[in-house]
Amino acid sequence: MEREHENIAAIVLAAGSGSRMRNPIKKQYMELLGYPLVYYALLAFETYGIEEIVLVTSPEDIEYCRKNIVERYGFQHVTRIVAGGSERYHSVMEGLKAVCHSDYVLIHDGARPCLSQEVIARCAEDGKRYEACAAAVPSKDTIKIADEDGFVRQTPPRNKLYLVQTPQAFSLNLIRQAYEQMCRSERNGIEITDDAMIVEHFTRRKVKLTAGDYENIKVTTPEDMLTAEMFLKRRCL
């Protein structure tokens, strides 16, 4: 029986500037418990057994990542380090081009350091079963939709609202076709914030919501670093 990690690649996105961190060091390289932030995402996939990991970073950071992250920490399965683009979707496209030996792909934000083996396993399984899935957790809060003047226009039912995370898993052919279709249509004015949106808008494939983890936070502001540190320390106890 084929193991879940066989024939599936991982793309780790680490090309952003992290301007909201208010720190001269790019957030993906900021130290968290003695390691750069992006180290934890790479470690999670390598520990799980993913044998084709593509790291996407800024063009000027490729050599830094090679020497100070991949080689320094002995990552054996980071097969390519490629340059990303000015927007997230540009970076994903470059990552997809670099996948050579897999039919499925997990796409993950390098700024999510608390990724668990269980979440990877669930996304890998659902990615193969449904061809498109995204880690997600039910919203704990009531969400309001505002009008242009900042007044409440609508309150959607909370039991239908989910907070979407990464990894998001896809058939490689499906996600490549979705991106190609997006490029041909020039995005149609859509603000793209994750890969599932591209599949939703440019294919007929439905995206499965796969059980994520409330600890799988995205580090965006300085306060998030403290939260991530707490979660990681607790796992080591």
Side-chain angles (χ1 to χ4, degrees):
M1 181 178 177
E2 182 185 32
R3 290 175 294 174
E4 290 168 2
H5 63 262
E6 292 180 343
N7 203 29
I8 189 163
I11 296 172
V12 176
L13 303 172
S17 61
S19 58
R20 283 177 284 183
M21 291 299 293
R22 303 189 297 274
N23 192 302
I25 301 173
K26 293 180 180 180
K27 73 176 178 183
Q28 57 267 36
Y29 310 129
M30 290 176 62
E31 191 172 288
L32 178 61
L33 296 179
Y35 296 94
L37 185 66
V38 71
Y39 160 89
Y40 292 97
L42 297 174
L43 179 65
F45 288 117
E46 185 141 318
T47 299
Y48 185 73
I50 300 293
E51 296 183 353
E52 185 175 17
I53 302 172
V54 176
L55 175 60
V56 185
T57 188
S58 301
E60 66 273 17
D61 293 336
I62 288 179
E63 197 57 29
Y64 173 87
C65 287
R66 189 184 316 280
K67 291 182 178 178
N68 294 285
I69 297 176
V70 175
E71 293 179 2
R72 179 179 180 183
Y73 298 111
F75 288 114
Q76 299 297 309
H77 298 152
V78 177
T79 55
R80 298 282 298 277
I81 305 173
V82 300
S86 57
E87 300 284 346
R88 184 187 187 279
Y89 70 92
H90 291 138
S91 295
V92 175
M93 289 174 66
E94 294 306 313
L96 291 171
K97 291 176 187 175
V99 174
C100 300
H101 306 293
S102 305
D103 294 323
Y104 299 88
V105 62
L106 293 154
I107 303 173
H108 186 63
D109 295 323
R112 291 185 186 269
C114 302
L115 175 62
S116 71
Q117 298 294 290
E118 292 78 13
V119 171
I120 296 176
R122 290 195 290 266
C123 288
E125 180 180 353
D126 280 358
K128 290 187 175 184
R129 179 180 300 170
Y130 302 106
E131 293 198 320
C133 76
V137 291
S139 175
K140 295 180 180 180
D141 299 317
T142 296
I143 304 297
K144 301 288 186 181
I145 298 176
D147 63 17
E148 294 77 9
D149 298 315
F151 291 92
V152 174
R153 186 175 68 191
Q154 184 181 353
T155 304
R158 190 172 63 183
N159 64 347
K160 294 184 178 180
L161 297 177
Y162 283 77
L163 306 178
V164 175
Q165 305 174 336
T166 64
Q168 298 185 3
F170 307 94
S171 154
L172 187 61
N173 285 337
L174 176 70
I175 192 67
R176 280 177 171 169
Q177 290 169 9
Y179 267 95
E180 289 168 4
Q181 180 64 30
M182 178 198 70
C183 292
R184 286 195 294 269
S185 65
E186 297 181 348
R187 295 172 53 188
N188 290 332
I190 299 168
E191 182 183 358
I192 297 165
T193 55
D194 75 340
D195 306 294
M197 286 183 66
I198 295 175
V199 171
E200 293 162 30
H201 282 282
F202 298 104
T203 79
R204 296 183 178 181
R205 179 69 59 182
K206 294 174 102 176
V207 178
K208 174 70 173 176
L209 293 177
T210 299
D213 185 343
Y214 287 106
E215 293 189 4
N216 184 25
I217 65 168
K218 185 176 182 180
V219 172
T220 304
T221 63
E223 296 79 12
D224 296 330
M225 287 287 280
L226 297 174
T227 304
E229 181 177 319
M230 178 188 68
F231 290 151
L232 290 170
K233 280 183 176 178
R234 189 164 63 189
R235 291 182 185 182
C236 296
L237 294 178

